[in-house]
Amino acid sequence: MHSFKKVLDLQHFLNRRRREGHRIGFVPTMGALHEGHLSLIRQSKLENECTVCSIFVNPTQFNEASDLEKYPRTSAADIKLLTSIGTDVVFMPGPDEIYPPDLDTIVNVDFSHLDQQMEGVFRPGHFEGVAQVVKRLLDIVQAQRLYMGQKDFQQLSIIRYMIKILDLPTQLVACPIIREADGLAMSSRNRRLSPQMRAIGPKIHQSLLWAKETLDKYRPAQISQKAMELLSEAGFRPEYFDIVDGIHLNKIEQFEDSDYVVACLAAWAGEVRLIDNMILKQGAKAGLSRTNRL
Ligand code: AMP
């Protein structure tokens, strides 16, 4: 595996690969890698001659300094994992490479309310930071395809929108959520869970399954409220459990209002904030391709 820390060195290498006709697939991460990340890399390897994984804990997307500080950093183990699955390139830049003082990297896109709900309410400024780092990384890597996980459903919607509005020459490929055997969605943050919180972790997935099973019986608002109660009773501090249209991300009043419905939640498990989601309904009518939605 080739490893780069400097933008110019990476670009020099990728330019050579492009001249050989190789397509570049790109998987941006913040490290502390797990099977969820690896699934994106495997998908990219199937579809491109060269797969680049970046590891960069992006300071601009953390709205709390303590969260940034506590974010797990496991670079030696990450490199081993990436090597074991045949990743072509790992890019591990420092903050000065991504945000050089003389470069304006702010993304001036109006996200048309996609960034105003759910995570946007509880993590102000988060998506500005996400858009900024993804745009900067895409400018550097110039990938044909960008692989991101449904695990971060709202992030996926925002990046899809940014690519469309800025007319970026990159195809977004959305990949399904990888879960532990007991249903807990894999996350770098899971390693910070206390044994007690890890034990109740599967209840998050169960609340989403319950929502899917009961959508014929109740209205979305009733399901949201009941799911919040279930999560509280289980020992979490839920922030939201929203049932939204999968394209516009606005809450729906009735299931008939949309043919693409997703439940998204955030809940604190002790000191660790977890997010998860599930597609509750996905009709054929919306007619979007795999790269537009899952
Ligand atoms: P992160 O390192 O948390 O920024 O995640 C990097 C990429 O991996 C994002 O596109 C995430 O959506 C994706 N990802 C994280 N966890 C999972 C998972 N459990 N299943 C699938 N993709 C994931």
Side-chain angles (χ1 to χ4, degrees), residues 48-113:
N48 306 280
E49 288 75 21
C50 179
T51 291
V52 179
C53 173
S54 65
I55 298 179
F56 178 63
V57 183
N58 174 35
T60 69
Q61 71 188 68
F62 285 83
N63 48 320
E64 280 183 25
S66 65
D67 192 23
L68 170 63
E69 205 179 292
K70 284 189 215 138
Y71 201 85
R73 290 159 172 91
T74 60
S75 43
D78 291 349
I79 289 169
K80 259 196 199 156
L81 275 177
L82 291 175
T83 308
S84 74
I85 63 162
T87 311
D88 300 281
V89 178
V90 64
F91 179 44
M92 303 175 80
D96 289 355
E97 286 293 299
I98 298 299
Y99 303 123
D102 52 348
L103 187 70
D104 181 5
T105 53
I106 302 286
V107 171
N108 283 310
V109 169
D110 172 358
F111 285 104
S112 179
H113 299 292

Side-chain angles (χ1 to χ4, degrees), residues 221-237:
Q222 292 170 313
I223 293 183
S224 293
Q225 197 192 339
K226 181 73 188 151
M228 294 278 282
E229 285 166 17
L230 287 174
L231 289 170
S232 296
E233 282 159 19
F236 298 100
R237 277 177 291 127

Side-chain angles (χ1 to χ4, degrees), residues 28-30 34 36-37 40 71 148-149 151-152 176-178 186:
T29 80
M30 297 206 298
H34 49 68
H37 298 113
L40 309 188
Y71 201 85
M148 299 186 89
K151 164 77 179 9
D152 299 272
I177 303 175
I178 305 297
M186 289 193 185

